[in-house]
Amino acid sequence: MVSKKNTVVGLGELLWDLFPEGKKLGGAPANFAYITSLLGDEGIPASRLGHDDLGAEAIRRLGELGLSTEFIQQDADHPTGTVKVEVARDGQAGFEIAQPVAWDFFDWTPQWQDLAQRADAVCYGTLAQRSEHSCTTMRRFLLAAQPSAVRVCDINLRQKFFNARVVAESMKLATIVKLNHEELPRVMRLLELEHLGEEDSARCLLSSYDLKLACITRATNGSLLVSADQRAEHP
C-alpha cells in the first residue's frame, strides 16, 4: 500500500546566497521544501523571482532538484533576491540582505489560494514579512489553509527586518515555532516576556501562543525540542 504524500509548502524568500567561493540557491522556506521532498513528501516552494538572469537560473536549478516551479511568481520590476554571506571561524554566518527585491512583493493569486487550501503543512518565516505587501499576502495564505494544516514558523531576526508585531502575529498563526539559541532571549524581550532559560522560555511561548512544539537550534551544541509535556535534546 502506497501512502499519500503530504503537500508541504515553503512560503517565503527564494534567493541566491552569495558566498566568497560562489553562489548557492537558498532561502529557509525553499530549503524546507527541498528537504521535505528528499524525505518523500511533496515539497513546494512558493515565492517570487525577478525577470532576470538570476531568476532564470533559479528556475533551472529548482527543476534540476525536482521541485515544482508552478508557484514561483515572476516580477518584471524588482530583481531576484540576493544575500551576501560571510562565515566566521565559529561557523556563524553574517548576512547582508538586498532590499527591495522580488520576494518583497508577493501577490495573492487564485493559484496561491488553491495551494494554501490543499497544503498539509506550511513553513514560513518572519524575514519575508519585512514588507507590508508580502506580509499581508502571507497572512492571507496561512488563513486560507485548512485548520488541520501544520504551520511551522521560522523566526529569522536578520538585520533590522523584524518587529514585535510581525513576530507575535506569526506565532499566533503557528503550530510549531523554530528559532535559535541567540534569537530566543531577543524574542522574549520583544514580546515582553521573561527569559528564564531555554526550556522555561520555550514552555512560556507554547502557552502564550497555543503552540504544539518549540524547536531551538544551538549551532554546534545541537538542538532542543520542547512540547507541553516532553523535551528532547540532540547533541
Side-chain angles (χ1 to χ4, degrees):
M1 181 177 177
V2 178
S3 60
K4 171 187 173 292
K5 286 188 176 184
N6 292 305
T7 299
V8 181
V9 179
L11 173 66
E13 66 274 13
L14 175 61
L15 49 82
W16 287 100
D17 287 317
L18 307 179
F19 292 91
E21 65 272 19
K23 67 180 185 297
K24 294 183 179 180
L25 192 60
N31 289 338
F32 193 97
Y34 174 56
I35 296 301
T36 293
S37 70
L38 293 183
L39 293 172
D41 284 312
E42 182 186 19
I44 299 176
S47 190
R48 190 174 178 94
L49 296 170
H51 194 62
D52 50 25
D53 290 344
L54 284 177
E57 188 173 353
I59 292 293
R60 287 196 300 272
R61 183 66 180 133
L62 289 172
E64 292 168 356
L65 294 171
L67 293 173
S68 169
T69 60
E70 182 181 354
F71 302 97
I72 305 297
Q73 299 175 0
Q74 298 259 304
D75 192 317
D77 298 318
H78 303 94
T80 296
T82 57
V83 180
K84 292 183 180 178
V85 184
E86 293 187 0
V87 182
R89 290 184 178 180
D90 64 0
Q92 291 293 328
F95 305 93
E96 183 181 332
I97 306 170
Q99 183 189 35
V101 295
W103 54 262
D104 290 311
F105 299 92
F106 294 150
D107 285 333
W108 183 241
T109 65
Q111 290 79 11
W112 274 32
Q113 181 169 348
D114 290 344
L115 178 63
Q117 291 173 343
R118 68 180 177 89
D120 296 297
V122 184
C123 176
Y124 62 100
T126 53
L127 177 57
Q129 299 181 66
R130 68 180 181 179
S131 78
E132 196 62 34
H133 189 112
S134 286
C135 182
T136 298
T137 300
M138 290 174 66
R139 285 183 61 81
R140 290 187 71 173
F141 192 105
L142 292 165
L143 291 169
Q146 299 295 328
S148 59
V150 176
R151 295 161 171 84
V152 183
C153 175
D154 183 6
I155 302 294
N156 271 311
L157 304 186
R158 301 285 189 244
Q159 294 174 209
K160 296 182 179 180
F161 300 137
F162 62 91
N163 58 55
R165 177 183 65 86
V166 166
V167 171
E169 291 182 357
S170 295
M171 291 207 296
K172 286 177 184 176
L173 293 170
T175 313
I176 298 169
V177 66
K178 175 265 174 189
L179 66 172
N180 67 37
H181 66 293
E182 293 179 339
E183 291 166 335
L184 179 59
R186 296 172 68 190
V187 165
M188 298 299 283
R189 287 195 298 271
L190 270 178
L191 301 177
E192 299 181 350
L193 299 170
E194 188 175 6
H195 179 52
L196 298 172
E198 289 181 347
E199 185 172 350
D200 286 342
S201 291
R203 294 196 187 283
C204 180
L205 292 178
L206 293 180
S207 60
S208 298
Y209 291 93
D210 195 25
L211 297 160
K212 302 294 186 187
L213 184 68
C215 310
I216 302 166
T217 56
R218 299 160 157 173
T220 57
N221 293 317
S223 59
L224 171 67
L225 307 181
V226 180
S227 68
D229 55 0
Q230 295 184 66
R231 70 189 304 277
E233 287 187 87
H234 194 284

